[in-house]
Amino acid sequence: MRTQDTQQKTDGDSGRRRGDRRTPGAPRHPWGWAAIVGIVGAGVFLAVAELVALIVARNGSPILALGSFVIDIVPQWAKEFAIATFGEYDKIFLLVSLGLAIVVAAAIGGVLQYVRPPFGVILLAIAGAGTTVATVTRAGATPLAALPGVLGTIAGAILLHILAGRLRRWYRTAHAAPLTKAPAGTTPGGKDATSPARLDRRGFLRVLGITSAGAIVVGVGSRIANAATSSITAIRNAVTLPTPSSTVDIPEGAELDIDGVSELFTPNADFYRVDTALTVPNVDTSTWSLTVTGMVDTPVTFTFEDILAMDLREFVITLTCVSNQVGGGLVGNARWLGIPVREILAQASPQSGADMVLSTSTDGYTASTPLSSLTDDGLDAILAVGMNGEPLPLEHGFPVRMVVPGLYGYVSATKWLTELKVTTFAQDEAYWTPRGYSAEAPIKLSSRVDTPRVGKPIQAGPVKIAGMAWAQSVGVEKVEVRIDEGEWQPATMSTPINDDTWVQWFLDWEADSGTHYITVRATDKAGLLQEEERATIAPNGSSGWQRVLIQVQ
Ligand SMILES: Nc1nc2c(c(=O)[nH]1)N[C@H]1C(S)=C(S)[C@@H](COP(=O)(O)O)O[C@H]1N2
Ligand SMILES: [Mo]
């Protein structure tokens, strides 16, 4: 057995007092470490909260909510003092004070958790709950704004518990070490890296190091990403769309007044979103440009200002995703403000031999659209800057996207558009082409039932069966409904706005109690009857008549 003395003599790295019962690897200042543990726990809380805020609730950043909350409750004299003393730096003063307060509180929490578990965790939970309340009570906060605070608190509490536990173990082993026999083959004096105390120290420091580094990277990264988006939101809010030089007439009877049927114009907030972007691309209009390249006589580049200065018109086009299942909701209709792509292409003079335009997004996504679909005089394929009277929402392609009537979104509706390359199908391939989807994909004529719904029993008596039908670029000629195995009955259609938009339809039905099947099918203006046979979404869109099972009570 080693003696205390030998150990001390041979341990060169500590310079401890003689008679000190600590052994190599023992924490000199457990309080200091405990405080650091608390600060790292709080850091994890904030980092996770920022990450969750970035993903689900942009306005749910606890640190900013806390800052705003403090601004709201600070008495007037303190505000005036801050402004008088720090002038325009008063917000920075606030944030720095808030930061210091958090650090001090977190350090106390760490020490508490070290000496009297679980009081540190309890303190953190109280702080987390307070922060969450501050976040969800802010103006404009959604219920989702509670998630960052809640998940952050859970993550912080777990980390605090683990780290304090490891610190305690390290401290205990270190004190017990003199009584522990060193494993055979180890050098005296605890220089040996495998002494229990050193192992515990290493374990503690490793977890501490990884979590603090992780918290800094995740927290700072998320906050920056969130702030960048907020600044793009500000840029978007500052965009004034020009008045369209022509608008689309909405005919009488274009919209039916029936409960449960989809609105004729899909509100932007409800519009389906489909893309490969993990986070919504943030495109700054001042640096954005659109280039027309490839097989053209004169490549041209447009700025956002250039586009806004063009002869922008209003178009109503219904967009559809190839991934829409029979009866599904990946369809939406909007009033777009834009300019026909053919007018943009004309400025670059496409060369003969080209048959495709490869559109590229700022995030590298590409779509291949037949050149003819973009240049055809009878088809208004557009570059859109506005959607239902607003600049494009960030998720829907701000500042500029394509919208092509009659083609599925993946081969035409490139969002965050930045390049149009005039080329050939033989030479270039779009994002989805090598991934099992057709290079060319016209939207399949389709219809769906919106009401009544599966799983929502209805009362016997008069019922309005209603839904939507679309056959973009061709137009819907008729919609028919069949109850059970009865005759096909013609449904009444809303007056179509144009051939590029969907229509609503309804059928009056005297429902008798029991179980019934409602089947719907449409016919387009070219005389084509909707395909009865079911097809999967790959490679070029689903098909089949929707048949819904209804319970009548
Ligand atoms: N940049 C980019 N644009 C894109 C996509 C994408 O993944 N990235 N997806 C496309 C697909 S598959 C569809 S259906 C439409 C959907 O447009 P929305 O999200 O505005 O409804 O966008 C198209 N444009
Ligand atoms: Mo899609």
Side-chain angles (χ1 to χ4, degrees):
M1 195 185 215
R2 295 175 284 158
T3 66
Q4 192 65 24
D5 269 343
T6 358
Q7 268 183 33
Q8 290 202 349
K9 273 186 209 122
T10 48
D11 183 27
D13 67 23
S14 72
R16 284 170 282 117
R17 278 180 294 115
R18 277 191 161 253
D20 188 330
R21 280 188 53 80
R22 280 179 297 138
T23 55
R28 219 168 302 164
H29 307 292
W31 310 122
W33 282 116
I36 291 173
V37 161
I39 293 166
V40 172
V44 167
F45 161 54
L46 291 175
V48 169
E50 285 298 336
L51 181 66
V52 177
L54 179 69
I55 297 168
V56 302
R58 303 238 155 187
N59 52 4
S61 161
I63 189 84
L64 293 191
L66 211 55
S68 313
F69 175 73
V70 173
I71 290 179
D72 292 350
I73 59 156
V74 157
Q76 190 57 32
W77 61 263
K79 264 182 222 168
E80 276 157 18
F81 165 79
I83 294 170
T85 320
F86 301 100
E88 54 184 311
Y89 299 112
D90 63 326
K91 295 269 180 332
I92 295 182
F93 166 73
L94 169 86
L95 285 176
V96 169
S97 321
L98 187 64
L100 284 178
I102 292 175
V103 166
V104 170
I108 293 173
V111 172
L112 263 182
Q113 181 65 17
Y114 179 73
V115 285
R116 291 259 179 289
F119 281 100
V121 167
I122 290 174
L123 184 70
L124 181 87
I126 293 171
T131 312
T132 306
V133 170
T135 314
V136 293
T137 50
R138 300 235 40 95
T142 56
L144 274 184
L147 268 189
V150 170
L151 296 183
T153 305
I154 293 172
I158 292 174
L159 249 296
L160 187 58
H161 171 76
I162 292 176
L163 282 171
R166 284 200 172 244
L167 176 61
R168 225 173 286 121
R169 192 163 91 199
W170 166 26
Y171 197 65
R172 254 190 232 132
T173 0
H175 281 265
L179 309 171
T180 331
K181 202 162 187 134
T186 59
T187 54
K191 285 252 172 172
D192 156 43
T194 60
S195 85
R198 280 176 188 262
L199 280 182
D200 283 343
R201 173 173 71 174
R202 202 184 299 159
F204 167 76
L205 290 179
R206 188 183 296 145
V207 180
L208 188 77
I210 292 172
T211 45
S212 43
I216 290 171
V217 171
V218 169
V220 172
S222 307
R223 184 88 287 277
I224 290 175
N226 201 334
T229 324
S230 313
S231 67
I232 300 300
T233 302
I235 289 174
R236 174 180 177 272
N237 291 344
V239 170
T240 314
L241 294 179
T243 324
S245 66
S246 69
T247 55
V248 176
D249 284 333
I250 310 300
E252 189 91 353
E255 179 134 36
L256 302 175
D257 181 20
I258 294 176
D259 267 359
V261 77
S262 301
E263 287 173 78
L264 186 65
F265 289 99
T266 317
N268 289 355
D270 302 340
F271 208 98
Y272 81 92
R273 173 185 167 199
V274 170
D275 53 59
T276 58
L278 189 59
T279 57
V280 177
N282 294 323
V283 184
D284 182 345
T285 48
S286 66
T287 52
W288 176 88
S289 69
L290 171 68
T291 318
V292 184
T293 58
M295 300 166 68
V296 292
D297 288 343
T298 43
V300 272
T301 298
F302 303 96
T303 63
F304 188 56
E305 296 292 306
D306 293 338
I307 305 271
L308 287 187
M310 289 176 184
D311 177 23
L312 301 181
R313 280 149 271 174
E314 187 183 88
F315 302 86
V316 181
I317 302 167
T318 300
L319 208 64
T320 310
C321 182
V322 69
S323 304
N324 192 47
Q325 307 278 6
V326 171
L330 301 181
V331 201
N333 185 43
R335 238 181 249 269
W336 308 95
L337 178 68
I339 177 148
V341 181
R342 77 176 92 81
E343 296 179 18
I344 298 282
L345 291 177
Q347 297 198 33
S349 308
Q351 294 164 352
S352 62
D355 64 3
M356 186 260 268
V357 170
L358 191 76
S359 50
T360 305
S361 149
T362 54
D363 69 348
Y365 175 88
T366 51
S368 53
T369 314
L371 183 60
S372 58
S373 304
L374 301 176
T375 52
D376 188 338
D377 273 335
L379 199 71
D380 284 326
I382 58 164
L383 292 191
V385 296
M387 182 175 182
N388 291 324
E390 291 174 19
L392 293 176
L394 304 196
E395 316 76 79
H396 295 292
F398 180 80
V400 177
R401 77 175 302 171
M402 289 220 305
V403 179
V404 182
L407 300 184
Y408 283 122
Y410 82 100
V411 289
S412 67
T414 304
K415 306 190 269 190
W416 315 290
L417 181 69
T418 180
E419 187 190 335
L420 293 174
K421 180 185 180 194
V422 179
T423 177
T424 62
F425 278 103
Q427 196 181 312
D428 280 296
E429 205 177 43
Y431 180 87
W432 283 110
T433 314
R435 294 176 169 82
Y437 286 85
S438 306
E440 298 190 49
I443 297 174
K444 292 179 183 175
L445 151 71
S446 194
S447 57
R448 76 167 188 228
V449 181
D450 285 348
T451 178
R453 292 191 162 274
V454 182
K456 283 205 172 165
I458 52 166
Q459 298 298 316
V463 169
K464 276 197 172 5
I465 302 172
M468 313 301 290
W470 56 91
Q472 291 96 318
S473 81
V474 181
V476 181
E477 176 68 29
K478 68 174 175 189
V479 175
E480 297 166 291
V481 178
R482 184 173 66 186
I483 312 289
D484 301 322
E485 298 309 314
E487 291 290 300
W488 284 101
Q489 308 178 50
T492 308
M493 281 167 38
S494 61
T495 313
I497 297 177
N498 58 36
D499 291 338
D500 300 333
T501 51
W502 61 6
V503 291
Q504 297 168 321
W505 57 263
F506 77 94
L507 180 80
D508 283 310
W509 175 41
E510 206 43 51
D512 52 5
S513 52
T515 309
H516 297 285
Y517 279 106
I518 299 172
T519 313
V520 64
R521 68 180 191 190
T523 303
D524 72 15
K525 287 185 177 167
L528 186 72
L529 175 67
Q530 185 180 337
E531 186 77 49
E532 177 177 8
E533 201 182 323
R534 291 259 168 175
T536 54
I537 57 173
N540 60 8
S542 66
S543 71
W545 296 342
Q546 191 190 3
R547 204 164 89 113
V548 289
L549 179 66
I550 301 299
Q551 307 277 6
V552 182
Q553 290 171 337

